Amino acid sequence: MRQPLVAGNWKMNGSRASVAELLAGLKAGIGRVKAAEVAVCAPAIYIPDTQKQLEGTPIKWGGQDVSVHASGAYTGEIAGPMLTDFGCHFAIIGHSERRAYHGETDATVAQKFEAARAAGLVPILCVGETLDEREQGITEQVVARQLDAVIAHCGIEMVGQGVIAYEPVWAIGTGKTASPEQAQEVHAFIRGRLAASSPVVADSVRVLYGGSMNPKNAAELMAQADIDGGLIGGASLKADDFLAVCAAANR
Ligand code: 13P
């Protein structure tokens, strides 16, 4: 049985004051979340505040990216061990915004996955096609390429220690959610791709959906056989909305 995971990706949003308010709201309402494991991925500079507020609660926290290096002369980067130093459990890896705006290739993403694991983090590996790729009918090819790069570099056992997030780029921040059927189709494909290397890993690894998931559509998406939770952007910035998405995994 795969425990659902709902992770918030705050992206580059918030202030010390708004983070404090959001976390206070999550702490106050987390009791209504029965089934899902819950996490927030904060901007790096707010991770110490996040740790202070969430320590001792059931809510975990993580980073949004990790350097391929463990330390050294890499100005501006944040290393995996620095994240674990502040109690991080998760790190988002290969988000489409980093692939698109920060030049992250499949090879870089695979190295980052490995670096996150080396630091003891649970990587949340993002994969997903653009609108153009979907219209060309190459969604499966794109997702397979993104997944295979990490399997080839890290090995299927290491991939099994992480989480996969299917995030169709055209659904991110657009209000256009993939339909439950569209999402399930790709999730099943991802699980099949993993099963080709290891049926055990395919069966145990959590595959989250991300892309305009909100309190209205979360339950239907998470009811799909291969959707094990969500990676939530916009709706993770309001405590009530995020908690409602988390509670949608209650069965
Ligand atoms: P939205 O929920 O804002 O569409 O963002 C999804 C996402 O990119 C999460 O990583």
Side-chain angles (χ1 to χ4, degrees), residues 9 11 92 95 97 126 167 171-174 210-213 231-235:
N9 174 10
K11 307 192 180 183
I92 297 171
H95 192 280
E97 287 149 16
C126 300
E167 297 207 312
I172 295 177
T174 58
S212 299
M213 200 189 247
L231 185 57
I232 319 301

Short mmCIF file of all heavy atoms in Angstrom, two decimals, residues 9 11 92 95 97 126 167 171-174 210-213 231-235, ligand 1:
data_model
loop_
_atom_site.label_atom_id
_atom_site.label_comp_id
_atom_site.label_asym_id
_atom_site.label_seq_id
_atom_site.Cartn_x
_atom_site.Cartn_y
_atom_site.Cartn_z
N ASN A 9 4.82 23.09 -3.18
CA ASN A 9 5.99 23.74 -3.77
C ASN A 9 5.69 25.24 -3.79
O ASN A 9 4.93 25.70 -4.63
CB ASN A 9 6.21 23.21 -5.20
CG ASN A 9 7.33 23.95 -5.91
OD1 ASN A 9 8.05 24.75 -5.29
ND2 ASN A 9 7.48 23.70 -7.20
N LYS A 11 7.56 27.56 -4.56
CA LYS A 11 8.31 28.28 -5.59
C LYS A 11 8.93 29.53 -4.96
O LYS A 11 9.27 29.50 -3.78
CB LYS A 11 7.40 28.58 -6.79
CG LYS A 11 6.73 27.30 -7.30
CD LYS A 11 6.05 27.43 -8.62
CE LYS A 11 5.43 26.07 -8.99
NZ LYS A 11 4.79 26.09 -10.30
N ILE A 92 12.88 18.78 -4.20
CA ILE A 92 12.34 18.71 -5.56
C ILE A 92 13.52 18.71 -6.53
O ILE A 92 14.46 19.49 -6.36
CB ILE A 92 11.40 19.91 -5.84
CG1 ILE A 92 10.19 19.87 -4.90
CG2 ILE A 92 10.94 19.91 -7.30
CD1 ILE A 92 9.32 21.13 -4.96
N HIS A 95 12.42 20.23 -11.57
CA HIS A 95 11.14 20.90 -11.86
C HIS A 95 11.22 21.53 -13.26
O HIS A 95 12.27 22.01 -13.66
CB HIS A 95 10.85 21.96 -10.80
CG HIS A 95 9.45 22.47 -10.88
ND1 HIS A 95 9.08 23.42 -11.81
CD2 HIS A 95 8.34 22.13 -10.20
CE1 HIS A 95 7.78 23.65 -11.68
NE2 HIS A 95 7.30 22.88 -10.71
N GLU A 97 10.35 24.28 -14.32
CA GLU A 97 10.81 25.67 -14.34
C GLU A 97 12.34 25.73 -14.30
O GLU A 97 12.95 26.60 -14.91
CB GLU A 97 10.17 26.45 -13.17
CG GLU A 97 8.69 26.72 -13.44
CD GLU A 97 7.80 26.78 -12.22
OE1 GLU A 97 8.31 26.93 -11.09
OE2 GLU A 97 6.57 26.68 -12.40
N CYS A 126 10.66 15.51 -10.93
CA CYS A 126 9.58 16.01 -11.79
C CYS A 126 9.83 15.65 -13.25
O CYS A 126 10.94 15.85 -13.76
CB CYS A 126 9.47 17.52 -11.67
SG CYS A 126 9.14 18.10 -10.00
N GLU A 167 4.22 16.22 -13.92
CA GLU A 167 3.71 17.59 -14.01
C GLU A 167 3.68 18.01 -15.47
O GLU A 167 4.71 18.45 -16.01
CB GLU A 167 4.61 18.55 -13.21
CG GLU A 167 4.67 18.25 -11.73
CD GLU A 167 4.97 19.51 -10.92
OE1 GLU A 167 5.90 20.26 -11.25
OE2 GLU A 167 4.23 19.73 -9.95
N ALA A 171 -0.10 22.39 -17.68
CA ALA A 171 -1.08 22.46 -16.58
C ALA A 171 -0.55 23.25 -15.39
O ALA A 171 -1.27 23.49 -14.43
CB ALA A 171 -1.46 21.05 -16.14
N ILE A 172 0.73 23.65 -15.44
CA ILE A 172 1.34 24.31 -14.29
C ILE A 172 1.00 25.79 -14.27
O ILE A 172 1.33 26.52 -15.20
CB ILE A 172 2.87 24.12 -14.30
CG1 ILE A 172 3.21 22.63 -14.12
CG2 ILE A 172 3.53 24.96 -13.20
CD1 ILE A 172 4.69 22.32 -14.19
N GLY A 173 0.31 26.20 -13.22
CA GLY A 173 0.01 27.62 -13.03
C GLY A 173 -0.96 28.19 -14.05
O GLY A 173 -1.13 29.39 -14.16
N THR A 174 -1.61 27.32 -14.82
CA THR A 174 -2.48 27.78 -15.90
C THR A 174 -3.95 27.63 -15.56
O THR A 174 -4.80 28.15 -16.28
CB THR A 174 -2.23 26.96 -17.18
OG1 THR A 174 -2.47 25.57 -16.87
CG2 THR A 174 -0.81 27.12 -17.67
N GLY A 210 1.04 16.84 -10.54
CA GLY A 210 1.18 18.28 -10.28
C GLY A 210 0.75 19.09 -11.48
O GLY A 210 1.03 18.72 -12.63
N GLY A 211 0.07 20.18 -11.24
CA GLY A 211 -0.40 21.05 -12.33
C GLY A 211 -1.81 21.49 -12.04
O GLY A 211 -2.76 20.76 -12.33
N SER A 212 -1.94 22.68 -11.42
CA SER A 212 -3.26 23.25 -11.09
C SER A 212 -4.12 22.30 -10.27
O SER A 212 -5.34 22.26 -10.43
CB SER A 212 -3.99 23.69 -12.36
OG SER A 212 -3.25 24.69 -13.04
N MET A 213 -3.51 21.52 -9.39
CA MET A 213 -4.32 20.70 -8.47
C MET A 213 -4.83 21.63 -7.38
O MET A 213 -4.10 22.49 -6.89
CB MET A 213 -3.50 19.56 -7.87
CG MET A 213 -4.37 18.44 -7.31
SD MET A 213 -3.43 17.23 -6.37
CE MET A 213 -3.56 15.79 -7.37
N LEU A 231 1.79 17.31 -6.11
CA LEU A 231 2.79 18.36 -5.90
C LEU A 231 2.08 19.66 -6.25
O LEU A 231 1.67 19.87 -7.39
CB LEU A 231 4.02 18.11 -6.79
CG LEU A 231 5.21 19.06 -6.60
CD1 LEU A 231 5.72 19.06 -5.15
CD2 LEU A 231 6.36 18.63 -7.52
N ILE A 232 1.90 20.49 -5.24
CA ILE A 232 0.95 21.60 -5.33
C ILE A 232 1.67 22.94 -5.34
O ILE A 232 2.43 23.23 -4.41
CB ILE A 232 -0.01 21.58 -4.09
CG1 ILE A 232 -0.46 20.15 -3.74
CG2 ILE A 232 -1.20 22.50 -4.30
CD1 ILE A 232 -1.18 19.42 -4.83
N GLY A 233 1.42 23.74 -6.35
CA GLY A 233 2.02 25.07 -6.42
C GLY A 233 1.10 26.10 -5.79
O GLY A 233 1.05 26.25 -4.56
N GLY A 234 0.35 26.81 -6.62
CA GLY A 234 -0.50 27.93 -6.15
C GLY A 234 -1.35 27.61 -4.94
O GLY A 234 -1.42 28.40 -3.99
N ALA A 235 -1.99 26.45 -4.94
CA ALA A 235 -2.91 26.11 -3.85
C ALA A 235 -2.18 25.75 -2.55
O ALA A 235 -2.82 25.53 -1.52
CB ALA A 235 -3.84 24.96 -4.26
P1 13P B 1 0.46 24.88 -9.77
O1 13P B 1 -0.21 24.01 -8.74
O2 13P B 1 0.53 26.32 -9.38
O3 13P B 1 -0.09 24.64 -11.14
O4 13P B 1 2.00 24.41 -9.81
C1 13P B 1 2.29 23.06 -9.93
C2 13P B 1 3.75 22.87 -9.75
O5 13P B 1 4.54 23.26 -10.58
C3 13P B 1 4.18 22.20 -8.53
O6 13P B 1 5.54 21.88 -8.58
#
